Amino acid sequence: MKKILITGATGQIGSELTLALRNKYGTENIIIAGHKKSPSNELVGGSFYCNFDVRNAKVLNKIIETHQVDSIFHLASLLSAVAEHKPQLAWDINMNGLLNILEAARQFNCSVFFPSSIGAFGSDTPAENTPQDTIQHPNTIYGISKVSGELLCNYYHQRYGVNTRGLRYPGLVSYKTLAGGGTTDYAVDIFYAALSEQHYLCFLKEDTRLDMMYMPDAVNAAINLMEADDARLLHRNGFNVTAMSFSPQMLAAEIKKHIPDFTIDYDVDPVRQAIADSWPRHMDDRAAREEWGWRPEFGLEMMVKDMLAKLVVKLHLF
Ligand code: AKB
């Protein structure tokens, strides 16, 4: 990877992946793209920033050609809950955006990273130890776009030799940028509420256990997969990766160890609850461990401690 384009750079993953890639590959070699949200000064940090919609293939191709991009981290997409409210728009952005990226990659010989999700599974997938290769019948538009995205990336590799690689991310917890429109967003919101009000009203049921990961591990996973030796990869797209599995009740109990007055109540949102109920509780990520050395650093305890420490500084609560 010499010249890297990151789409969706202002989002939850993008805002941290950009900084990590910049540290590793140099400011001048990172081109960041956002659309709806303005980038912070920290995010731009001397890199070239462009504002464009990934559905605009002409602009995308021009950026890739002008900057001689050879690798694309394609993060721009609508998340599960917001997609359920705007299914046609979600399909348009998630699928046509990806198709434009893959076409550009084919034309300009770029590698592509595509983040899939636990959303690529459905209710008839085994929820415990969810295998790498298993039934994928999601019943959300987000999940359908993710499983289609995995297949499309595989197709571009087989048919055109495009170096596509991707992960199935679980819910991601981070302090720099809020998630937005996802089903697992509660696991970020809860920290802000715990610190500011010592109380959180959760939109998922207390025992809804899902795979989760702290952002530093998510960022490392993306970079390590893209740098992995091609000869070792039996899979390419949709690698299961997980770091922990917890429910709102379990997360609240861990936060309470640090904020003893913290309490949680539940006001369940039926749309997000139905989505969560169709997702795995714990994926088997052995393929990622064996094929490119996946190994997460953060478990629940370490993550909660780090999140609280970082947010205390961010929110000036000391
Ligand atoms: C969401 O909740 O939509 C995402 C995801 C798990 O893909 N965080």
Side-chain angles (χ1 to χ4, degrees):
M1 295 194 284
K2 293 196 180 78
K3 278 269 180 177
I4 302 170
L5 170 67
I6 305 160
T7 72
T10 54
Q12 191 194 12
I13 305 175
S15 58
E16 301 207 30
L17 182 64
T18 298
L19 305 186
L21 286 170
R22 186 182 292 142
N23 279 342
K24 203 152 188 200
Y25 291 94
T27 304
E28 67 286 2
N29 296 320
I30 307 297
I31 291 99
I32 55 182
H35 184 216
K36 292 267 168 198
K37 237 161 79 187
S38 306
S40 64
N41 291 341
E42 186 195 18
L43 183 71
V44 177
S47 293
F48 185 84
Y49 173 77
C50 41
N51 185 306
F52 82 99
D53 186 328
V54 286
R55 291 171 295 174
N56 189 335
K58 227 168 135 187
V59 176
L60 172 68
N61 291 354
K62 184 93 198 133
I63 291 166
I64 292 177
E65 197 177 11
T66 308
H67 295 275
Q68 298 186 310
V69 167
D70 66 11
S71 310
I72 309 168
F73 287 77
H74 176 48
L75 307 176
S77 83
L78 290 198
L79 292 185
S80 57
V82 75
E84 239 11 69
H85 289 288
K86 299 174 187 171
Q88 292 76 13
L89 180 68
W91 180 262
D92 192 21
I93 293 175
N94 293 8
M95 292 316 300
N96 291 326
L98 176 62
L99 186 62
N100 287 343
I101 294 284
L102 290 169
E103 269 300 294
R106 175 168 82 89
Q107 208 179 320
F108 297 103
N109 198 20
C110 303
S111 306
V112 176
F113 173 80
F114 171 69
S116 185
S117 156
I118 47 174
F121 297 114
S123 308
D124 56 356
T125 303
E128 294 291 348
N129 280 326
T130 307
Q132 173 64 42
D133 302 303
T134 185
I135 304 161
Q136 289 183 269
H137 294 150
N139 62 356
T140 62
I141 194 71
Y142 176 70
I144 295 167
S145 76
K146 287 300 181 189
V147 75
S148 307
E150 291 178 9
L151 295 171
L152 196 60
C153 286
N154 280 338
Y155 179 80
Y156 266 73
H157 173 65
Q158 285 153 15
R159 179 79 201 262
Y160 301 115
V162 177
N163 181 14
T164 56
R165 301 181 183 194
L167 306 168
R168 292 182 187 131
Y169 276 130
L172 297 178
V173 180
S174 66
Y175 64 89
K176 269 195 197 293
T177 306
L178 284 170
T183 302
T184 57
D185 293 8
Y186 89 85
V188 177
D189 301 344
I190 193 171
F191 286 94
Y192 287 83
L195 284 167
S196 59
E197 293 157 40
Q198 292 76 56
H199 180 259
Y200 181 61
L201 192 59
C202 186
F203 57 75
L204 291 184
K205 284 188 202 154
E206 59 183 15
D207 58 350
T208 309
R209 194 160 59 78
L210 292 168
D211 277 305
M212 295 281 176
M213 188 183 293
Y214 196 31
M215 190 57 81
D217 281 327
V219 163
N220 284 340
I223 297 175
N224 292 346
L225 173 60
M226 289 308 279
E227 289 178 342
D229 180 358
D230 212 68
R232 283 184 64 196
L233 299 182
L234 303 175
H235 299 84
R236 299 198 69 88
N237 294 288
F239 274 102
N240 287 358
V241 281
T242 185
M244 56 193 109
S245 169
F246 60 74
S247 63
Q249 191 176 39
M250 290 161 75
L251 179 56
E254 194 57 40
I255 292 174
K256 216 172 154 56
K257 289 184 190 164
H258 301 264
I259 306 174
D261 291 341
F262 176 62
T263 56
I264 184 165
D265 285 305
Y266 299 89
D267 180 18
V268 173
D269 167 11
V271 174
R272 285 182 283 193
Q273 187 62 49
I275 296 174
D277 288 342
S278 74
W279 287 356
R281 287 188 281 280
H282 183 63
M283 289 185 286
D284 177 349
D285 61 5
R286 270 177 303 174
R289 289 172 188 267
E290 283 159 18
E291 292 176 38
W292 51 275
W294 160 242
R295 192 168 299 277
E297 205 187 309
F298 287 85
L300 178 59
E301 235 180 270
M302 241 173 101
M303 177 194 75
V304 168
K305 206 169 152 209
D306 198 65
M307 266 300 275
L308 290 171
K310 295 285 177 12
L311 279 179
V312 163
V313 176
K314 181 181 173 185
L315 303 174
H316 307 290
L317 298 172
F318 46 86

Short mmCIF file of all heavy atoms in Angstrom, two decimals, residues 247-292:
data_model
loop_
_atom_site.label_atom_id
_atom_site.label_comp_id
_atom_site.label_asym_id
_atom_site.label_seq_id
_atom_site.Cartn_x
_atom_site.Cartn_y
_atom_site.Cartn_z
N SER A 247 -23.72 -8.51 26.88
CA SER A 247 -25.08 -7.95 26.82
C SER A 247 -25.06 -6.58 27.50
O SER A 247 -24.10 -6.26 28.22
CB SER A 247 -26.03 -8.87 27.57
OG SER A 247 -25.64 -8.89 28.94
N PRO A 248 -26.11 -5.77 27.34
CA PRO A 248 -26.17 -4.49 28.05
C PRO A 248 -25.99 -4.66 29.56
O PRO A 248 -25.29 -3.89 30.21
CB PRO A 248 -27.57 -3.98 27.72
CG PRO A 248 -27.88 -4.55 26.38
CD PRO A 248 -27.24 -5.92 26.39
N GLN A 249 -26.60 -5.72 30.10
CA GLN A 249 -26.50 -5.98 31.54
C GLN A 249 -25.04 -6.24 31.96
O GLN A 249 -24.57 -5.73 32.98
CB GLN A 249 -27.32 -7.24 31.81
CG GLN A 249 -27.60 -7.58 33.22
CD GLN A 249 -28.51 -8.81 33.26
OE1 GLN A 249 -28.35 -9.74 32.46
NE2 GLN A 249 -29.47 -8.80 34.16
N MET A 250 -24.33 -7.01 31.16
CA MET A 250 -22.93 -7.32 31.48
C MET A 250 -22.05 -6.07 31.37
O MET A 250 -21.16 -5.83 32.18
CB MET A 250 -22.39 -8.41 30.53
CG MET A 250 -23.00 -9.78 30.79
SD MET A 250 -22.80 -10.87 29.35
CE MET A 250 -21.07 -11.29 29.48
N LEU A 251 -22.31 -5.25 30.34
CA LEU A 251 -21.53 -4.02 30.16
C LEU A 251 -21.81 -3.05 31.32
O LEU A 251 -20.89 -2.45 31.88
CB LEU A 251 -21.87 -3.38 28.81
CG LEU A 251 -21.16 -2.07 28.47
CD1 LEU A 251 -19.64 -2.21 28.53
CD2 LEU A 251 -21.57 -1.57 27.08
N ALA A 252 -23.09 -2.94 31.68
CA ALA A 252 -23.47 -2.04 32.78
C ALA A 252 -22.78 -2.47 34.08
O ALA A 252 -22.29 -1.63 34.85
CB ALA A 252 -24.99 -2.03 32.95
N ALA A 253 -22.72 -3.78 34.32
CA ALA A 253 -22.08 -4.28 35.55
C ALA A 253 -20.60 -3.92 35.58
O ALA A 253 -20.04 -3.57 36.63
CB ALA A 253 -22.27 -5.79 35.65
N GLU A 254 -19.96 -3.98 34.44
CA GLU A 254 -18.53 -3.64 34.37
C GLU A 254 -18.33 -2.14 34.59
O GLU A 254 -17.39 -1.73 35.28
CB GLU A 254 -17.98 -4.08 33.00
CG GLU A 254 -16.49 -4.11 32.88
CD GLU A 254 -15.77 -5.01 33.92
OE1 GLU A 254 -16.27 -6.12 34.22
OE2 GLU A 254 -14.72 -4.56 34.43
N ILE A 255 -19.21 -1.32 34.02
CA ILE A 255 -19.10 0.14 34.21
C ILE A 255 -19.33 0.50 35.68
O ILE A 255 -18.67 1.36 36.25
CB ILE A 255 -20.10 0.87 33.28
CG1 ILE A 255 -19.69 0.70 31.81
CG2 ILE A 255 -20.20 2.36 33.63
CD1 ILE A 255 -20.65 1.24 30.78
N LYS A 256 -20.26 -0.21 36.29
CA LYS A 256 -20.59 0.04 37.71
C LYS A 256 -19.40 -0.17 38.64
O LYS A 256 -19.30 0.45 39.70
CB LYS A 256 -21.75 -0.89 38.11
CG LYS A 256 -22.72 -0.25 39.08
CD LYS A 256 -23.93 -1.15 39.27
CE LYS A 256 -24.58 -0.94 40.62
NZ LYS A 256 -25.00 0.43 40.91
N LYS A 257 -18.48 -1.02 38.22
CA LYS A 257 -17.27 -1.23 39.04
C LYS A 257 -16.48 0.07 39.16
O LYS A 257 -15.76 0.29 40.11
CB LYS A 257 -16.38 -2.30 38.41
CG LYS A 257 -16.95 -3.69 38.52
CD LYS A 257 -15.94 -4.69 37.96
CE LYS A 257 -16.58 -6.07 37.83
NZ LYS A 257 -15.80 -6.96 36.96
N HIS A 258 -16.59 0.94 38.14
CA HIS A 258 -15.85 2.21 38.14
C HIS A 258 -16.73 3.38 38.58
O HIS A 258 -16.23 4.36 39.11
CB HIS A 258 -15.33 2.52 36.72
CG HIS A 258 -14.41 1.45 36.20
ND1 HIS A 258 -13.05 1.54 36.30
CD2 HIS A 258 -14.68 0.26 35.60
CE1 HIS A 258 -12.51 0.45 35.77
NE2 HIS A 258 -13.48 -0.34 35.33
N ILE A 259 -18.04 3.27 38.31
CA ILE A 259 -18.99 4.35 38.69
C ILE A 259 -20.10 3.69 39.51
O ILE A 259 -21.15 3.30 38.97
CB ILE A 259 -19.58 5.02 37.41
CG1 ILE A 259 -18.44 5.49 36.49
CG2 ILE A 259 -20.49 6.19 37.77
CD1 ILE A 259 -18.90 6.04 35.15
N PRO A 260 -19.89 3.55 40.81
CA PRO A 260 -20.80 2.75 41.64
C PRO A 260 -22.26 3.23 41.62
O PRO A 260 -23.18 2.42 41.78
CB PRO A 260 -20.21 2.89 43.06
CG PRO A 260 -18.79 3.28 42.85
CD PRO A 260 -18.72 4.04 41.58
N ASP A 261 -22.50 4.53 41.36
CA ASP A 261 -23.89 5.02 41.33
C ASP A 261 -24.60 4.78 40.00
O ASP A 261 -25.76 5.13 39.84
CB ASP A 261 -23.91 6.55 41.59
CG ASP A 261 -23.50 6.86 43.02
OD1 ASP A 261 -23.57 5.94 43.87
OD2 ASP A 261 -23.07 8.01 43.27
N PHE A 262 -23.88 4.22 39.06
CA PHE A 262 -24.46 4.04 37.72
C PHE A 262 -25.63 3.05 37.74
O PHE A 262 -25.55 1.98 38.33
CB PHE A 262 -23.38 3.55 36.75
CG PHE A 262 -23.92 3.24 35.38
CD1 PHE A 262 -24.50 4.24 34.61
CD2 PHE A 262 -23.86 1.95 34.85
CE1 PHE A 262 -25.01 3.97 33.34
CE2 PHE A 262 -24.37 1.67 33.59
CZ PHE A 262 -24.94 2.68 32.84
N THR A 263 -26.73 3.44 37.08
CA THR A 263 -27.88 2.53 36.94
C THR A 263 -28.31 2.48 35.46
O THR A 263 -28.04 3.40 34.69
CB THR A 263 -29.10 3.00 37.77
OG1 THR A 263 -29.42 4.34 37.39
CG2 THR A 263 -28.82 2.91 39.26
N ILE A 264 -28.99 1.40 35.13
CA ILE A 264 -29.46 1.24 33.74
C ILE A 264 -30.93 0.82 33.75
O ILE A 264 -31.35 0.04 34.62
CB ILE A 264 -28.57 0.21 32.98
CG1 ILE A 264 -28.99 0.11 31.51
CG2 ILE A 264 -28.57 -1.16 33.65
CD1 ILE A 264 -27.95 -0.59 30.62
N ASP A 265 -31.72 1.38 32.84
CA ASP A 265 -33.09 0.93 32.63
C ASP A 265 -33.26 0.61 31.15
O ASP A 265 -32.38 0.93 30.34
CB ASP A 265 -34.09 2.02 33.05
CG ASP A 265 -34.20 2.10 34.56
OD1 ASP A 265 -34.49 1.07 35.20
OD2 ASP A 265 -33.94 3.19 35.12
N TYR A 266 -34.39 0.01 30.84
CA TYR A 266 -34.57 -0.47 29.47
C TYR A 266 -35.88 0.05 28.87
O TYR A 266 -36.93 -0.01 29.51
CB TYR A 266 -34.55 -2.01 29.46
CG TYR A 266 -33.23 -2.53 29.97
CD1 TYR A 266 -33.03 -2.77 31.33
CD2 TYR A 266 -32.15 -2.73 29.11
CE1 TYR A 266 -31.80 -3.20 31.82
CE2 TYR A 266 -30.92 -3.16 29.58
CZ TYR A 266 -30.75 -3.40 30.94
OH TYR A 266 -29.53 -3.82 31.41
N ASP A 267 -35.79 0.59 27.67
CA ASP A 267 -36.97 1.00 26.91
C ASP A 267 -36.71 0.48 25.50
O ASP A 267 -36.07 1.14 24.68
CB ASP A 267 -37.09 2.54 26.94
CG ASP A 267 -38.31 3.00 26.17
OD1 ASP A 267 -39.21 2.16 25.92
OD2 ASP A 267 -38.36 4.19 25.79
N VAL A 268 -37.20 -0.73 25.26
CA VAL A 268 -36.76 -1.47 24.07
C VAL A 268 -37.35 -0.90 22.77
O VAL A 268 -38.55 -0.65 22.68
CB VAL A 268 -37.12 -2.98 24.25
CG1 VAL A 268 -36.84 -3.75 22.97
CG2 VAL A 268 -36.33 -3.55 25.42
N ASP A 269 -36.46 -0.69 21.81
CA ASP A 269 -36.87 -0.26 20.47
C ASP A 269 -37.08 -1.54 19.65
O ASP A 269 -36.13 -2.28 19.38
CB ASP A 269 -35.76 0.61 19.87
CG ASP A 269 -35.96 0.83 18.37
OD1 ASP A 269 -37.03 0.51 17.84
OD2 ASP A 269 -35.01 1.33 17.73
N PRO A 270 -38.34 -1.80 19.24
CA PRO A 270 -38.62 -3.08 18.56
C PRO A 270 -37.82 -3.29 17.28
O PRO A 270 -37.46 -4.43 16.96
CB PRO A 270 -40.12 -3.03 18.27
CG PRO A 270 -40.61 -1.69 18.68
CD PRO A 270 -39.52 -0.96 19.41
N VAL A 271 -37.53 -2.21 16.56
CA VAL A 271 -36.79 -2.37 15.29
C VAL A 271 -35.38 -2.86 15.59
O VAL A 271 -34.90 -3.86 15.03
CB VAL A 271 -36.77 -1.05 14.48
CG1 VAL A 271 -35.87 -1.18 13.25
CG2 VAL A 271 -38.18 -0.64 14.08
N ARG A 272 -34.69 -2.16 16.49
CA ARG A 272 -33.29 -2.53 16.78
C ARG A 272 -33.22 -3.86 17.53
O ARG A 272 -32.29 -4.64 17.34
CB ARG A 272 -32.59 -1.40 17.53
CG ARG A 272 -32.26 -0.26 16.57
CD ARG A 272 -31.53 0.87 17.22
NE ARG A 272 -32.42 1.70 18.01
CZ ARG A 272 -32.08 2.89 18.49
NH1 ARG A 272 -30.88 3.38 18.27
NH2 ARG A 272 -32.93 3.60 19.21
N GLN A 273 -34.24 -4.14 18.37
CA GLN A 273 -34.23 -5.42 19.09
C GLN A 273 -34.36 -6.58 18.10
O GLN A 273 -33.64 -7.59 18.20
CB GLN A 273 -35.38 -5.46 20.11
CG GLN A 273 -35.33 -6.70 21.01
CD GLN A 273 -34.07 -6.77 21.87
OE1 GLN A 273 -33.71 -5.80 22.53
NE2 GLN A 273 -33.38 -7.91 21.87
N ALA A 274 -35.25 -6.42 17.11
CA ALA A 274 -35.43 -7.49 16.12
C ALA A 274 -34.14 -7.70 15.32
O ALA A 274 -33.76 -8.84 15.01
CB ALA A 274 -36.59 -7.14 15.18
N ILE A 275 -33.46 -6.62 15.01
CA ILE A 275 -32.19 -6.75 14.27
C ILE A 275 -31.19 -7.51 15.13
O ILE A 275 -30.58 -8.49 14.70
CB ILE A 275 -31.62 -5.35 13.88
CG1 ILE A 275 -32.55 -4.63 12.91
CG2 ILE A 275 -30.23 -5.50 13.28
CD1 ILE A 275 -32.15 -3.18 12.58
N ALA A 276 -31.04 -7.07 16.38
CA ALA A 276 -30.06 -7.71 17.28
C ALA A 276 -30.38 -9.19 17.49
O ALA A 276 -29.47 -10.03 17.53
CB ALA A 276 -30.03 -6.98 18.62
N ASP A 277 -31.66 -9.51 17.60
CA ASP A 277 -32.06 -10.90 17.83
C ASP A 277 -31.70 -11.80 16.64
O ASP A 277 -31.63 -13.02 16.79
CB ASP A 277 -33.57 -10.99 18.11
CG ASP A 277 -33.91 -10.45 19.49
OD1 ASP A 277 -33.00 -10.32 20.33
OD2 ASP A 277 -35.10 -10.13 19.72
N SER A 278 -31.50 -11.20 15.48
CA SER A 278 -31.18 -12.03 14.31
C SER A 278 -29.67 -12.20 14.12
O SER A 278 -29.23 -12.87 13.20
CB SER A 278 -31.79 -11.41 13.04
OG SER A 278 -31.06 -10.26 12.65
N TRP A 279 -28.87 -11.58 14.97
CA TRP A 279 -27.41 -11.59 14.81
C TRP A 279 -26.74 -12.62 15.73
O TRP A 279 -27.30 -12.97 16.78
CB TRP A 279 -26.83 -10.21 15.12
CG TRP A 279 -27.11 -9.19 14.06
CD1 TRP A 279 -27.74 -9.39 12.86
CD2 TRP A 279 -26.79 -7.79 14.12
NE1 TRP A 279 -27.81 -8.21 12.16
CE2 TRP A 279 -27.23 -7.20 12.90
CE3 TRP A 279 -26.15 -6.98 15.05
CZ2 TRP A 279 -27.07 -5.86 12.62
CZ3 TRP A 279 -25.99 -5.63 14.76
CH2 TRP A 279 -26.44 -5.08 13.55
N PRO A 280 -25.52 -13.05 15.36
CA PRO A 280 -24.80 -14.03 16.20
C PRO A 280 -24.48 -13.45 17.57
O PRO A 280 -24.35 -12.23 17.73
CB PRO A 280 -23.48 -14.25 15.45
CG PRO A 280 -23.60 -13.60 14.15
CD PRO A 280 -24.74 -12.65 14.18
N ARG A 281 -24.34 -14.34 18.54
CA ARG A 281 -23.92 -13.92 19.87
C ARG A 281 -22.41 -14.04 20.02
O ARG A 281 -21.77 -13.31 20.74
CB ARG A 281 -24.64 -14.74 20.94
CG ARG A 281 -26.10 -14.35 21.07
CD ARG A 281 -26.76 -15.00 22.25
NE ARG A 281 -27.12 -16.38 21.95
CZ ARG A 281 -28.20 -16.75 21.26
NH1 ARG A 281 -29.02 -15.83 20.79
NH2 ARG A 281 -28.46 -18.01 21.03
N HIS A 282 -21.88 -15.03 19.30
CA HIS A 282 -20.43 -15.20 19.39
C HIS A 282 -19.91 -15.94 18.15
O HIS A 282 -20.22 -17.12 17.95
CB HIS A 282 -20.05 -15.96 20.66
CG HIS A 282 -18.57 -16.10 20.81
ND1 HIS A 282 -17.75 -15.01 20.96
CD2 HIS A 282 -17.77 -17.18 20.79
CE1 HIS A 282 -16.50 -15.42 21.04
NE2 HIS A 282 -16.48 -16.73 20.93
N MET A 283 -19.10 -15.25 17.36
CA MET A 283 -18.59 -15.86 16.12
C MET A 283 -17.33 -16.66 16.36
O MET A 283 -16.51 -16.31 17.22
CB MET A 283 -18.24 -14.76 15.10
CG MET A 283 -19.42 -14.04 14.52
SD MET A 283 -18.88 -12.86 13.23
CE MET A 283 -18.17 -11.55 14.19
N ASP A 284 -17.15 -17.66 15.57
CA ASP A 284 -15.89 -18.42 15.56
C ASP A 284 -14.94 -17.69 14.59
O ASP A 284 -15.22 -17.63 13.39
CB ASP A 284 -16.20 -19.84 15.05
CG ASP A 284 -14.95 -20.69 14.92
OD1 ASP A 284 -13.83 -20.14 15.02
OD2 ASP A 284 -15.10 -21.91 14.70
N ASP A 285 -13.83 -17.16 15.13
CA ASP A 285 -12.94 -16.39 14.25
C ASP A 285 -11.60 -17.10 14.01
O ASP A 285 -10.58 -16.47 13.77
CB ASP A 285 -12.74 -14.96 14.77
CG ASP A 285 -12.11 -14.88 16.15
OD1 ASP A 285 -11.71 -15.94 16.69
OD2 ASP A 285 -11.98 -13.77 16.68
N ARG A 286 -11.66 -18.43 14.05
CA ARG A 286 -10.40 -19.19 13.86
C ARG A 286 -9.77 -18.98 12.48
O ARG A 286 -8.56 -18.98 12.34
CB ARG A 286 -10.63 -20.68 14.10
CG ARG A 286 -10.41 -21.07 15.55
CD ARG A 286 -10.72 -22.51 15.76
NE ARG A 286 -12.10 -22.81 15.34
CZ ARG A 286 -12.63 -24.02 15.30
NH1 ARG A 286 -11.91 -25.06 15.65
NH2 ARG A 286 -13.87 -24.20 14.93
N ALA A 287 -10.60 -18.81 11.46
CA ALA A 287 -10.03 -18.63 10.10
C ALA A 287 -9.15 -17.40 10.09
O ALA A 287 -8.03 -17.42 9.55
CB ALA A 287 -11.15 -18.52 9.07
N ALA A 288 -9.62 -16.30 10.69
CA ALA A 288 -8.82 -15.06 10.73
C ALA A 288 -7.54 -15.28 11.54
O ALA A 288 -6.47 -14.80 11.17
CB ALA A 288 -9.64 -13.93 11.34
N ARG A 289 -7.65 -16.03 12.64
CA ARG A 289 -6.46 -16.27 13.47
C ARG A 289 -5.44 -17.10 12.69
O ARG A 289 -4.24 -16.84 12.75
CB ARG A 289 -6.87 -17.00 14.77
CG ARG A 289 -7.64 -16.11 15.73
CD ARG A 289 -8.22 -16.88 16.91
NE ARG A 289 -9.09 -16.03 17.71
CZ ARG A 289 -8.70 -15.32 18.78
NH1 ARG A 289 -7.47 -15.41 19.21
NH2 ARG A 289 -9.55 -14.56 19.43
N GLU A 290 -5.94 -18.11 11.98
CA GLU A 290 -5.01 -19.01 11.29
C GLU A 290 -4.45 -18.42 9.99
O GLU A 290 -3.28 -18.60 9.67
CB GLU A 290 -5.72 -20.34 10.97
CG GLU A 290 -5.83 -21.23 12.21
CD GLU A 290 -6.93 -22.28 12.10
OE1 GLU A 290 -7.39 -22.57 10.98
OE2 GLU A 290 -7.34 -22.81 13.17
N GLU A 291 -5.28 -17.68 9.26
CA GLU A 291 -4.85 -17.24 7.92
C GLU A 291 -4.04 -15.95 7.92
O GLU A 291 -3.25 -15.70 7.04
CB GLU A 291 -6.07 -17.13 6.99
CG GLU A 291 -6.68 -18.49 6.69
CD GLU A 291 -7.95 -18.42 5.86
OE1 GLU A 291 -8.04 -17.59 4.95
OE2 GLU A 291 -8.88 -19.21 6.14
N TRP A 292 -4.26 -15.09 8.92
CA TRP A 292 -3.47 -13.83 8.92
C TRP A 292 -3.15 -13.32 10.33
O TRP A 292 -2.76 -12.18 10.52
CB TRP A 292 -4.13 -12.74 8.07
CG TRP A 292 -5.59 -12.47 8.38
CD1 TRP A 292 -6.66 -13.16 7.87
CD2 TRP A 292 -6.13 -11.50 9.28
NE1 TRP A 292 -7.84 -12.65 8.39
CE2 TRP A 292 -7.54 -11.64 9.25
CE3 TRP A 292 -5.58 -10.51 10.09
CZ2 TRP A 292 -8.40 -10.84 10.01
CZ3 TRP A 292 -6.43 -9.72 10.85
CH2 TRP A 292 -7.82 -9.89 10.80
#
